[in-house]
Amino acid sequence: MLENIRLRGAVFFGWQPSWPYATGVPNERHFRDLVLPTSDQVISYHIVLEGPCWATVEGEQPVRLEGGDILLIPHGDAYVISDQPREPSDGDIDPAREFFSLMAAGDLPLVIEDGGNGPGRNQLVCGFLGCDRHPVNPLLEGLPGYIVLSRSALDGPINDLVDIVLRECRHPQVGTQSMMLRLGEVLFIEVIRQYVQQRNLVNNPWIRGLSDPLIARSLLLLHGRIAETWTLEKLASAVNCSRSVLAERFSRVIEVPPMKYLSLWRLQVAARLLRDRQDKILSIALSVGYESETSFSRAFKRTMGSSPSAFRRSVQPAMTDRRNGST
């Protein structure tokens, strides 16, 4: 699932605001065209190196962030980071668009210093990533409006990754920007892994399914053998239960019937292959379980709104950029 989120680093920088300050980031639809126009959505996250500060996500209560906290905004909602709580507003849109335009053009330094002239200050690392969510991305869809994790409570390589990011910010050299963008992608995946491991995500149908032995086995088969000619009867036999039990339980836990889930997942994987590879459309169709290019094209257009060839042409600039080594 993480592989098929298809992250692409857009913007990554250090930020040192002095008090008083309040910097708003509007809903990602207001600036996605400037940083990653071929992505379905922009995700943002911030690592607080020196606190305290406040984050207020639209529709949520303000949350106080301390040094070592990591803030993730998985759905691209509007939010504000400030020395005192402040609600997002439409007045944040124009300044944010100007900032992202300059950042995307490479006209700003890797470390941004701004804010007021007060004695206090904060220090953060800020990352903005593009991802694909259409037609389905159940892992991201089940996440809350924002996530706050304490870096001190996290296991694994995340602390080493943050240290490398800080080194690159403070001592830029050839390739620093590319390094930071890719580190940003890895950091995001690590934050998601840690969050899933530490929290009981009962509100996330897909994670809930992984904790149900029957549904977990079904998901493992559907994801691992995506090109197989699955039917409800064949899947039920493979997980050793009746069709009716599997259909009812899968639909109740995952909130979509098993064959519908498989169809959506096949198209999600196909979209990634169309973006990432130059394989013939028939080859991609067969690799995700369709028997012909015609049936694949019909299903793809019905769900994605365009034919596979038109979809591939629409993302061709992004593919060219990646071949040229830029993001």
Side-chain angles (χ1 to χ4, degrees), residues 272-303:
R272 176 175 63 86
L273 296 176
L274 287 166
R275 285 184 173 101
D276 290 347
R277 300 183 185 177
Q278 293 296 325
D279 300 10
K280 291 183 178 180
I281 291 175
L282 175 59
S283 176
I284 291 175
L286 296 174
S287 74
V288 296
Y290 286 86
E291 296 181 352
S292 70
E293 182 175 339
T294 300
S295 61
F296 168 64
S297 296
R298 187 182 302 116
F300 193 92
K301 185 172 184 178
R302 182 171 58 247
T303 301

Side-chain angles (χ1 to χ4, degrees), residues 61-96:
Q61 291 297 312
V63 58
R64 181 183 169 100
L65 303 174
E66 304 289 348
D69 286 346
I70 299 175
L71 169 70
L72 176 68
I73 315 292
H75 304 301
D77 295 318
Y79 63 97
V80 174
I81 295 181
S82 50
D83 64 307
Q84 296 294 326
R86 198 211 82 179
E87 293 286 333
S89 73
D90 290 343
D92 298 327
I93 295 174
D94 289 342

Side-chain angles (χ1 to χ4, degrees), residues 172-235:
Q173 53 188 309
V174 175
T176 284
Q177 186 65 25
S178 294
M179 172 78 78
M180 289 180 65
L181 289 173
R182 284 153 181 78
L183 285 170
E185 297 168 13
V186 177
L187 270 169
F188 171 81
I189 291 173
E190 186 62 22
V191 167
I192 292 294
R193 290 201 309 179
Q194 294 285 332
Y195 180 74
V196 169
Q197 289 169 8
Q198 292 186 17
R199 307 296 174 93
N200 181 20
L201 302 183
V202 294
N203 293 324
N204 186 319
W206 194 77
I207 297 298
R208 209 163 54 228
L210 294 184
S211 63
D212 182 310
L214 175 64
I215 306 306
R217 290 199 304 274
S218 302
L219 289 171
L220 180 65
L221 288 169
L222 295 179
H223 281 250
R225 291 153 55 182
I226 191 172
E228 192 156 329
T229 308
W230 288 109
T231 63
L232 179 60
E233 182 175 10
K234 185 174 181 178
L235 182 61

Side-chain angles (χ1 to χ4, degrees), residues 1-6 40 75 131-143 204 206 264-265 268:
M1 185 65 72
L2 284 170
E3 177 184 354
N4 283 279
I5 288 176
R6 246 189 62 85
D40 293 336
H75 304 301
C131 75
D132 300 328
R133 297 191 66 158
H134 191 65
V136 61
N137 205 313
L139 176 58
L140 284 183
E141 288 167 3
L143 295 177
N204 186 319
W206 194 77
L264 291 172
W265 185 244
Q268 180 80 7

Side-chain angles (χ1 to χ4, degrees), residues 36-52:
L36 278 172
T38 60
S39 292
D40 293 336
Q41 183 185 300
V42 175
I43 297 169
S44 62
Y45 66 94
H46 304 272
I47 304 168
V48 182
L49 305 175
E50 183 179 334

Side-chain angles (χ1 to χ4, degrees), residues 8 24 35 103 107 143 170 182 325:
R8 291 177 294 288
V35 291
M103 181 60 73
D107 293 336
L143 295 177
R170 291 165 178 164
R182 284 153 181 78

